[in-house]
Amino acid sequence: MPIETVFEGKVKYIQVIDKDGNADEKLDPKLPKDLLLRMYITMVVTRMFDDKALKLQRQGRIYTYPPCLGQEAAQIGSIAALNEEDWFFPSYREHGGYLWRGTEMKWMFVYLMGSELGMKIPEGKHNFLVSIPIATQTLHAVGAAWAAKILNHKVATMVYFGDGATSEGDFHEAMNFAGVFKTPTVFLNQNNQWAISVPRKKQTAAKTIAQKALAYGFEGVQVDGNDVLAVYRATKEAIDKAHRGEGPTLIEALTYRMSHHTTADDWTKYRDSAEVEQWKERDPVKRFRIYLERNGYWNEDLEKKTVERATSEIEKAIEEAESMKLDNPEDVFMYTYSKMPPHLVEQMNELMEYLKNKS
Ligand SMILES: Cc1ncc(C[n+]2csc(CCOP(=O)(O)OP(=O)(O)O)c2C)c(N)n1
Ligand SMILES: [Mg+2]
């Protein structure tokens, strides 16, 4: 039996639309107009949702909010390549992903108002919950993919995580398991250059995050994460591969968090505004709009109507969320176990007793 001692691996980089909106004819996936428009409109709505959520937090109407400004192409380009039966495992920044997968905006606001009700996944939707503990969702996604493989269900799982998450043990365990057991998993890394105030260069000495896949025995691809068509192309290939039973892929979407890490953060304390300005030139929404306009699919009038429709949709969602009765503190304990263990029952009773005496 030959023993392998030499390894020569490579990571490819994909860009379809450059920062000025010029498309590479050979790489353009030439998607149908209705899909392209749905992608663009969702990107615009995501950006408007994001802007509104930030303002609501500043007014004290929702709690901590993690903005996704600048990451719309990385999110929508990838989620659009996922079939409905495939499973979506987000981190906490994938607002665009939830919108694409049919989550009603009012529930997203309800969640941000601190109610567990907002995280109730609609029946039949293959979406997972927001994951705040960094990288834990990579293990969940690999576990679910492994279960699907054992059950012979032809579905893939796709998991979102940041550059900082690649320093967590969970990420490496998930990658290793996925490689060995060839699970149908797409690891979608949004390398937005920062993990709160820690820059990407402090997460790893490797040139790319994508190359980490090679050490686990599978393919790693780096894409321009601000180019929605490049992200779509790479993700579609990875999902198709997973459906064919050919195992996992790691996609590194190179992007940038244009806003604060969360509303509890202030980026002006640790990064240069010149850096932010430089990334503004690579704006994913603007770039995609130029592409659509050049293809004759978009114009000022359609933009205006989209913004008007989204404005009233967002206002209506806020109104509905704010008119709900959301003050059920016991909900915090309710939905982790089908049968609540005794220590949680005790804590819940203690809290309810405390609140009763306080009022
Ligand atoms: C296990 C764990 N450790 C630490 C934290 C605190 N924390 C919240 S976000 C974050 C940075 C994550 O950065 P990255 O993975 O790049 O994702 P991004 O926020 O940039 O999308 C940290 C350390 C946490 N939530 N979970
Ligand atoms: Mg990050």
Side-chain angles (χ1 to χ4, degrees):
M1 276 249 283
I3 298 171
E4 291 183 42
T5 54
V6 178
F7 170 73
E8 282 176 23
K10 266 219 281 282
V11 158
K12 65 178 173 192
Y13 174 77
I14 307 175
Q15 184 188 61
V16 177
I17 321 174
D18 70 14
K19 71 175 180 49
D20 302 314
N22 306 306
D24 182 324
E25 271 294 304
K26 285 201 284 304
L27 292 179
D28 187 340
K30 307 245 165 48
L31 300 178
K33 181 181 168 188
D34 55 347
L35 177 58
L36 288 169
L37 293 189
R38 185 178 165 211
M39 287 163 77
Y40 178 73
I41 290 167
T42 311
M43 284 167 73
V44 171
V45 174
T46 301
R47 184 164 286 195
M48 291 174 66
F49 170 88
D50 198 61
D51 181 61
K52 190 69 189 186
L54 196 65
K55 289 180 176 135
L56 290 181
Q57 194 280 339
R58 298 306 191 216
Q59 292 165 5
R61 291 159 71 186
I62 62 170
Y63 295 106
T64 314
Y65 178 71
C68 63
L69 182 67
Q71 297 182 218
E72 298 87 351
Q75 296 189 4
I76 305 304
S78 50
I79 202 78
L82 201 68
N83 292 345
E84 260 188 55
E85 322 76 70
D86 296 325
W87 288 85
F88 165 50
F89 286 80
S91 75
Y92 41 76
R93 212 179 283 287
E94 280 67 62
H95 316 299
Y98 274 120
L99 288 173
W100 182 271
R101 301 278 288 186
T103 300
E104 280 182 72
M105 224 182 254
K106 73 173 172 200
W107 295 118
M108 292 165 68
F109 285 121
V110 164
Y111 170 69
L112 293 165
M113 286 167 187
S115 170
E116 296 290 326
L117 280 180
M119 266 296 119
K120 187 170 186 297
I121 303 300
E123 206 58 48
K125 287 259 177 237
H126 289 184
N127 296 349
F128 250 68
L129 313 176
V130 160
S131 178
I132 304 284
I134 305 300
T136 50
Q137 71 276 22
T138 56
L139 290 168
H140 305 157
V142 170
W146 177 227
K149 191 170 171 172
I150 291 170
L151 294 168
N152 211 15
H153 293 170
K154 292 272 170 266
V155 294
T157 64
M158 179 153 73
V159 59
Y160 290 79
F161 55 99
D163 41 302
T166 65
S167 297
E168 288 282 353
D170 284 3
F171 163 73
H172 295 276
E173 290 163 26
M175 292 279 286
N176 193 48
F177 194 101
V180 171
F181 292 93
K182 287 199 170 7
T183 65
T185 312
V186 179
F187 292 88
L188 204 294
N189 175 248
Q190 287 183 86
N191 173 2
N192 65 5
Q193 314 301 329
W194 290 90
I196 316 183
S197 56
V198 180
R200 145 72 180 85
K201 66 174 184 296
K202 290 216 173 135
Q203 297 297 345
T204 176
K207 277 198 179 144
T208 68
I209 286 173
Q211 74 198 63
K212 289 176 187 288
L214 307 184
Y216 293 106
F218 57 92
E219 191 188 1
V221 187
Q222 195 184 51
V223 294
D224 181 338
N226 283 10
D227 168 359
V228 72
L229 296 185
V231 179
Y232 180 89
R233 199 191 160 96
T235 314
K236 182 79 173 71
E237 278 172 19
I239 297 283
D240 289 349
K241 198 171 96 182
H243 288 156
R244 289 196 304 270
E246 292 169 22
T249 309
L250 168 63
I251 297 170
E252 175 188 2
L254 275 173
T255 182
Y256 194 75
R257 164 169 61 75
M258 308 267 281
S259 185
H260 307 295
H261 167 72
T262 66
T263 43
D265 172 52
D266 175 2
W267 68 253
T268 62
K269 297 271 193 281
Y270 54 83
R271 62 186 194 184
D272 234 13
S273 51
E275 180 183 296
V276 182
E277 286 306 313
Q278 189 192 3
W279 279 91
K280 271 191 194 159
E281 288 169 23
R282 301 173 196 163
D283 189 306
V285 178
K286 222 190 286 172
R287 194 190 301 193
F288 192 26
R289 181 175 169 176
I290 297 172
Y291 170 88
L292 294 175
E293 282 174 351
R294 285 191 188 157
N295 279 286
Y297 294 160
W298 201 251
N299 56 41
E300 193 50 47
D301 189 44
L302 288 170
E303 181 80 16
K304 205 170 140 246
K305 287 194 178 114
T306 301
V307 170
E308 277 168 14
R309 209 174 312 130
T311 306
S312 55
E313 190 192 340
I314 292 169
E315 288 307 328
K316 185 164 166 271
I318 296 168
E319 233 175 81
E320 286 174 354
E322 287 189 328
S323 66
M324 282 183 213
K325 184 187 167 293
L326 300 176
D327 54 345
N328 297 325
E330 66 269 42
D331 276 1
V332 173
F333 300 93
M334 298 293 279
Y335 306 111
T336 305
Y337 298 93
S338 57
K339 186 172 183 317
M340 205 187 295
H343 69 281
L344 285 190
V345 175
E346 195 184 319
Q347 286 176 33
M348 182 175 75
N349 292 341
E350 195 180 322
L351 174 73
M352 298 317 282
E353 193 59 30
Y354 167 78
L355 292 173
K356 203 168 83 193
N357 294 337
K358 208 170 131 222
S359 58

